């Protein structure tokens, strides 16, 4: 058994003249929860597609669970599971029937398949719903079944793409606990998410990818230390009559490196340089804003790091090739 779950060496993926992933190299240790973050169009979905054998790299090499991604994709598929954003299930079947169907595709012996199904239903606390039709489930219940479907053949590495997207807080909490349980049982988890709090809470290490390259890679705390050791200040500001125009005026200040609007009245602003606070206050007042409170927090968040590393511009990006399940509408060809 190799030391690493994933070893990527100079992986590149091009679509014509466009380079989606650019000479990417990284290692993920066995037993890690590895967060994989990036703006829209940064290359993370393309990278995951390649690692799941759904797309071939243009150049470079990789070992997945010790197997060569290019030379032995069938062995790679035996070692990985995929929880995609698009759920892979049949609504007309019950939860148990869905799992039995996929267990047969994986050629699992009947007794082992049934034992595994019972164990997994207990893992997500859904034993009493096993004989209920999937179409009757809430989104959160479907997602729990989606997770255990990927766990059915006991993968060594589990890829999870936005596993809590669109879920309520209670279900989100439950899914995160399931991820921890999976990892505690020895499964390496590769997590892609736009939820910074989720990435920080779950990940042992995090890679931020931008323009097809690794822009930062370390533990969540070490990534935050990058900002805290710089001259960046984090201002938490409450403005009673906050407007979108005011937000954009603050965002456009040269001293502002990142800005997050937390609700109708509260901003979190990262800024550099002497007099940054005065510039922010002056801009708010010029725009007619009433400041209820403003505090300087020295503890940045992962979101602050993300925006500092990747920039503030909104990434409007359309790339049909980035869809993880593209060309995989037949369940028999899908990765676990």
């Amino acid at each position: 058994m190799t030391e690493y779950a994933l070893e990527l060496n100079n992986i590149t993926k091009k679509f014509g003249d466009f380079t989606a992933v650019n000479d990417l190299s990284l290692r993920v240790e066995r037993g890690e929860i590895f967060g994989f973050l990036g703006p829209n169009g940064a290359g993370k979905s393309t990278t995951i597609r390649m690692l799941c054998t759904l797309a071939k790299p243009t150049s470079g090499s990789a070992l997945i669970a010790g197997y060569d991604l290019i030379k032995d994709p069938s062995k790679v598929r035996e070692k990985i599971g995929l929880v995609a954003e698009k759920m892979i299930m049949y609504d007309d079947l019950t939860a148990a029937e869905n799992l039995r169907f996929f267990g047969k595709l994986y050629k699992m012996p009947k007794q082992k398949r049934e034992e595994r199904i019972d164990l997994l239903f207990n893992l997500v606390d859904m034993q009493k719903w096993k004989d209920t039709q999937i179409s009757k489930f809430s989104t959160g219940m479907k997602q729990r079944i989606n997770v255990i479907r990927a766990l059915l053949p006991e993968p060594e590495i589990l890829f999870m793409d936005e596993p809590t997207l669109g879920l309520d807080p209670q279900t989100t909490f439950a899914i995160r606990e399931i991820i921890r349980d999976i990892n505690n049982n020895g499964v390496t988890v590769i997590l892609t998410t736009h939820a910074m709090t989720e990435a920080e809470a779950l990940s042992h290490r995090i890679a931020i990818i931008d323009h097809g390259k690794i822009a930062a890679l370390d533990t969540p705390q070490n990534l935050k230390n990058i900002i805290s050791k710089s001259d960046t200040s984090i201002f938490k500001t409450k403005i009673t009559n906050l407007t979108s125009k005011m937000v954009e005026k603050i965002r456009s200040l040269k001293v502002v490196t990142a800005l997050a609007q937390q609700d109708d009245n509260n901003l979190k602003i990262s800024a550099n340089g002497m007099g940054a606070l005065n510039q922010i206050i002056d801009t708010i007042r010029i725009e007619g804003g009433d400041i209820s409170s403003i505090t300087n927090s020295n503890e940045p968040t992962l979101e602050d790091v993300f925006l500092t590393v990747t920039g503030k511009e909104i990434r409007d990006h359309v790339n049909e090739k980035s869809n993880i399940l593209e060309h995989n509408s037949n369940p028999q060809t899908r990765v676990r």
Side-chain angles (χ1 to χ4, degrees):
M1 181 179 289
T2 60
E3 180 182 356
Y4 299 104
L6 306 180
E7 295 183 69
L8 280 63
N9 297 298
N10 309 111
I11 287 286
T12 296
K13 179 64 176 179
K14 294 185 177 182
F15 299 104
D17 294 333
F18 174 69
T19 301
V21 179
N22 190 359
D23 201 35
L24 192 67
S25 296
L26 66 86
R27 290 173 173 176
V28 177
E29 294 182 6
R30 289 182 179 272
E32 274 195 290
I33 300 179
F34 190 84
F36 205 52
L37 311 181
N40 293 332
K44 63 183 185 299
S45 292
T46 301
T47 301
I48 297 302
R49 292 188 73 243
M50 288 189 289
L51 300 183
C52 289
T53 75
L54 298 176
K56 291 184 178 179
T58 304
S59 61
S61 62
L63 292 177
I64 313 296
Y67 291 99
D68 191 294
L69 178 65
I70 311 299
K71 297 178 181 178
D72 213 347
S74 61
K75 284 293 186 182
V76 170
R77 285 192 285 270
E78 290 178 6
K79 298 296 181 179
I80 66 174
L82 171 63
V83 180
E85 183 180 335
K86 184 181 289 185
M87 297 183 189
I88 308 173
M89 284 179 296
Y90 292 97
D91 282 349
D92 291 340
L93 300 180
T94 67
E97 286 170 342
N98 267 278
L99 294 189
R100 290 189 185 106
F101 172 76
F102 285 103
K104 290 177 182 178
L105 292 183
Y106 303 144
K107 298 180 180 180
M108 298 176 68
K110 182 177 180 181
Q111 183 175 344
K112 180 179 179 180
R113 183 177 70 227
E114 292 302 316
E115 290 174 355
R116 183 72 177 158
I117 287 172
D118 283 340
L119 185 151
L120 292 171
F121 275 121
N122 286 325
L123 174 68
V124 295
D125 195 24
M126 289 191 64
Q127 188 71 29
K128 66 181 178 181
W129 302 103
K130 62 182 294 185
D131 295 319
T132 302
Q133 203 171 14
I134 287 283
S135 61
K136 298 178 181 178
F137 285 175
S138 67
T139 302
M141 294 170 73
K142 288 181 179 180
Q143 183 64 328
R144 281 186 276 169
I145 301 300
N146 195 36
V147 170
I148 62 174
R149 175 203 52 75
L151 291 172
L152 190 58
E154 301 182 77
E156 292 183 19
I157 304 167
L158 183 65
F159 292 89
M160 306 191 79
D161 184 39
E162 299 281 353
T164 61
L165 183 66
L167 302 182
D168 60 67
Q170 290 84 358
T171 306
T172 295
F173 177 81
I175 293 292
R176 290 176 184 173
E177 289 301 302
I178 291 168
I179 293 171
R180 290 190 180 97
D181 287 342
I182 292 167
N183 181 246
N184 288 337
N185 286 325
V187 178
T188 303
V189 178
I190 311 298
L191 174 68
T192 66
T193 179
H194 286 293
M196 299 295 148
T197 54
E198 180 166 275
E200 184 171 356
L202 292 173
S203 304
H204 298 116
R205 290 191 302 150
I206 290 172
I208 300 175
I209 186 172
D210 198 22
H211 301 295
K213 289 179 171 288
I214 297 294
L217 195 165
D218 214 322
T219 64
Q221 187 58 55
N222 285 345
L223 288 174
K224 290 189 292 182
N225 288 344
I226 295 172
I227 290 184
S228 63
K229 290 178 181 178
S230 70
D231 61 350
T232 298
S233 296
I234 312 296
F235 300 107
K236 295 181 179 179
T237 309
K238 184 173 184 179
I239 305 169
T240 55
N241 54 345
L242 185 63
T243 64
S244 57
K245 180 183 177 183
M246 196 183 304
V247 171
E248 291 311 309
K249 285 286 186 179
I250 299 168
R251 194 191 301 274
S252 66
L253 292 174
K254 290 184 178 180
V255 295
V256 173
T257 59
L259 183 150
Q261 184 169 351
Q262 298 176 305
D263 56 35
D264 291 341
N265 301 108
N266 290 278
L267 298 178
K268 180 179 286 186
I269 307 165
S270 300
N272 284 334
M274 296 291 293
L277 179 57
N278 288 335
Q279 289 190 48
I280 293 168
I281 291 173
D282 288 346
T283 301
I284 294 171
R285 287 175 176 169
I286 289 170
E287 294 301 315
D290 295 321
I291 301 173
S292 298
S293 64
I294 186 164
T295 57
N296 187 349
S297 170
N298 290 324
E299 175 64 27
T301 65
L302 190 59
E303 184 178 74
D304 299 321
V305 176
F306 184 87
L307 292 173
T308 298
V309 169
T310 64
K312 299 182 288 183
E313 295 82 6
I314 296 174
R315 308 290 181 89
D316 292 324
H317 182 81
V318 177
N319 181 3
E320 292 180 359
K321 291 184 173 65
S322 69
N323 185 338
I324 282 182
L325 293 180
E326 184 190 21
H327 304 315
N328 287 275
S329 57
N330 183 347
Q332 295 188 43
T333 66
R334 289 170 174 163
V335 179
R336 292 194 294 266

